Amino acid sequence: MRRKTAFITFLYLILGVLWLIMGSKAIKYLDQQIPDRDMRFLYDYKNFIFLIISGFLLFFLIEMYRRSLSAVENSYKQLFEGSIAMIYVFDRSSYRLLEVNERMLEKYGYTRQELLTMSVMDLRSVEEQEKLDNYLKTSHLEGSATEVWLHKMKNGKAFHVLISHHKAIYKGQAAYTVIALDIERYVKAEERIKELLKVYETVTRVTNDVIWEYCPATNELKWQNGFSEIYGYTEALRENTKEWILSKVHPEDGELVEKSMAESLEQLSNSWSCEYRLQCADGLYKYVSNQAFILLDTEGNAEKMVGALRDITIRKDYEHRLLRKNEILKKIAWENSHEFRKPVSNIIGIVNLLKVESKTADPALIEMLERSALELDEMISRINDSTSNIGQKD
């Protein structure tokens, strides 16, 4: 605005000086060309014409300036009223609201007349009023987002806003212009995220899962909570690279793990999983199950892997004990069946001999003995068949 004012003043002075100089020269020239007539009366006309022309010129320039101011004012008004943010102006000393936009009326539920009879303190709880008063009376940052504040509507419902403010002069009064953004949805979302993180941390502690993230482009490996507690590697004892963690894989499993991961990244598989032995900080090995999802960037390249490392040592130990028990049971059953087979065979032979050579033995008893021997032999055969299937998959 100052530039336009200076321009109008400068233009008026230039035109005035040119008129005075050129007008005087023109009258002097006419006076020389017409010596028998006194042309000095033209000086009065020159001054009168200058007043008329300068008056029109000033009116024209002032009107241009007024229209420019009006256009700027309308632009600011449209910005003020059409903003999606809540904008208001309040007195620096009394905190009374001087102006509010339509968004304020929609959000807070008051009419414009109601708000203009209130102060900014009326839009806050008692705790926030004291906080705001202390904030405004001390040195504070202006012109950018300060912090999150808690406002309240006409119905008493509270919501969070992000405030930005700066000093202004409104209708001759020292004031603050404030821009407030409703961030209640984002605050609620952040609180929900914190709740989910707590649940996630609890679940990972219960399941012995450790979340990790690997970026192939930078070869950076990040571990979340639990890695140090479960495997003993503090930050000082580990390196955040793929090579380091692969060096802790059991030598018999290392090639399998490295090959399967490389194939998954090369083939851009959706997921990767592998079970192997991992050395802990104390030198002992734990059985682990490692599963991950592979995330792709916009160009279809592997951007990162996000996975969960789970300690399955207890499960593996149980499986090994179960397999060992099955082998022992199979051995015992096999040995016992063969031990039983020998006397059973002898009984069957004796029965056959009695049937041929004995004439005094009761045939019914011999038949009963034979049937019992055959049934026992059949049972031993079934035991042999069952033990031979122990440990085999269906």
Side-chain angles (χ1 to χ4, degrees), residues 3 26 81 104 156 187 201 237 245 271 289 291 308 315 339 363 366 390:
R3 289 185 177 181
E81 293 295 344
M104 284 280 292
V187 171
E201 290 175 358
L237 295 177
I245 192 62
S271 60
S289 172
Q291 296 180 321
R315 192 195 83 190
E339 290 296 325
I366 294 174
I390 292 177

Side-chain angles (χ1 to χ4, degrees), residues 150-212:
L150 195 62
H151 283 199
K152 67 175 183 178
M153 305 178 194
K154 185 176 182 179
N155 59 12
K157 184 179 179 180
F159 65 101
H160 293 85
V161 294
L162 184 65
I163 294 293
S164 175
H165 73 290
H166 60 271
K167 292 178 180 177
I169 301 297
Y170 182 79
K171 296 182 179 179
Q173 293 180 260
Y176 280 117
T177 299
V178 179
I179 300 175
L181 293 173
D182 179 7
I183 59 170
E184 182 67 16
R185 181 175 60 179
Y186 305 104
V187 171
K188 293 295 183 185
E190 186 177 356
E191 291 176 353
R192 179 58 178 162
I193 290 172
K194 290 180 180 179
E195 291 177 2
L196 292 174
L197 286 175
K198 288 181 180 179
V199 173
Y200 153 74
E201 290 175 358
T202 303
V203 171
T204 54
R205 283 197 295 268
V206 171
T207 60
N208 284 339
D209 282 358
V210 178
I211 306 301
W212 54 271

